[in-house]
Structures are given as C-alpha cells and as structure tokens.
Amino acid sequence: MSEALFFHAGCPVCVAVEQQFVQALDPMRYAVEVVHLGEPKDRIAQAERYGVKSVPALVIEGKPFHIDFGAAPADLK
Amino acid sequence: MSEALFFHAGCPVCVAVEQQFVQALDPMRYAVEVVHLGEPKDRIAQAERYGVKSVPALVIEGKPFHIDFGAAPADLK
C-alpha cells in the first residue's frame, strides 16, 4: 500500500478534484490522506517540503502533482 | 467501467504524470486511453472540445483535469 496525500483548501476547484479524481485512485494500492490546509497551519510547511506550489495537489510516493489551480499555499498562511 | 482519456505530448512532465498518476487509477473502474497529441492531429480538436487547455491532462467522465504543465494544445498544431 502506498501513501498519497491530497492537499486542498476547500475551494470549489479542490472539491471537484477530490470528488472526481482522488476517488478514482485504486483503493487496493493507495491510502489517501486528505489534508485541508486551511485548518492545521503546520501542514502547510509539510506541503511546501513536498514541493507543493498550489492546491489542489496530490503527492504520490513523495512527488507532487498539481491539478488545475485553486490557491497557492502562501495565500493560506 | 468509466472512460478516461489521458492527453499528453511526450514531454518529460507528461511521462512522469503518466507513470505515477495515470497508473494509480483504479483499473477496475477506469479504462484509460492514452492519446499522444503530437501524432494524430485530429485528436487536438477532441482535446479542445473537452476543455483541455494544457497537457498533460486527464479527462474523467467528460471533465478535464490539468496536471502540472507541459504544453498548450495550440503549441502542438
């Protein structure tokens, strides 16, 4: 089982991506943690360490993939 | 089984996304067609009809999701 992290900010773009995209991942292989960056502020630093430049973003096996554009992590601080 | 289309242009960003991302989709639910826009030129029009503004992009159930940025379809014409 691989870990995946979905970083979002509750924006409409984020919600659409979560509903259509994150749900499409193979549940047999990926355990997805959904992280709302608007709440625990310390997770923003974690997202930035992974190289997340905008949300929504999905980190799979340590690599960040940015999907469409909702907001930049710096805007959420 | 839902259809998904992955549009790409053979760029390094596209290849990384295909290998890590498209492979992560649930094969029990999604049949993914991989379309290289550099080859059959008529597929660019199809991508544009789906609202694809850049590649790599994944169209799931008719909705486009742009992942990172490789190239714009217009650059491939």
Side-chain angles (χ1 to χ4, degrees):
Chain A
M1 193 69 116
S2 297
E3 285 201 356
L5 283 157
F6 179 64
F7 291 106
H8 74 108
C11 56
V13 170
C14 300
V15 171
V17 169
E18 185 182 349
Q19 287 176 349
Q20 285 249 284
F21 211 90
V22 175
Q23 308 278 347
L25 295 180
D26 185 352
M28 302 291 283
R29 291 181 293 149
Y30 294 92
V32 185
E33 184 191 359
V34 175
V35 181
H36 188 316
L37 288 184
E39 284 146 24
K41 295 287 186 188
D42 60 319
R43 302 301 294 267
I44 294 179
Q46 182 195 25
E48 288 177 331
R49 277 198 303 277
Y50 279 121
V52 169
K53 292 184 170 45
S54 63
V55 290
L58 187 66
V59 173
I60 299 183
E61 290 162 20
K63 286 189 194 168
F65 295 98
H66 305 89
I67 308 151
D68 293 335
F69 182 84
D75 297 336
L76 307 172
K77 287 182 184 174
Chain B
M1 192 67 118
S2 296
E3 284 201 355
L5 283 156
F6 179 64
F7 291 105
H8 74 109
C11 56
V13 170
C14 300
V15 171
V17 169
E18 185 181 349
Q19 287 175 348
Q20 285 247 286
F21 210 90
V22 175
Q23 308 278 346
L25 295 180
D26 186 352
M28 302 291 283
R29 289 180 295 150
Y30 294 92
V32 185
E33 183 189 359
V34 175
V35 180
H36 188 316
L37 289 183
E39 284 148 21
K41 297 288 185 185
D42 60 318
R43 301 301 293 269
I44 294 179
Q46 183 196 22
E48 288 178 332
R49 276 198 303 278
Y50 279 120
V52 170
K53 293 185 169 43
S54 64
V55 290
L58 188 66
V59 173
I60 298 183
E61 291 164 19
K63 286 191 194 168
F65 295 98
H66 305 88
I67 309 151
D68 293 334
F69 182 83
D75 297 335
L76 307 172
K77 287 182 183 172

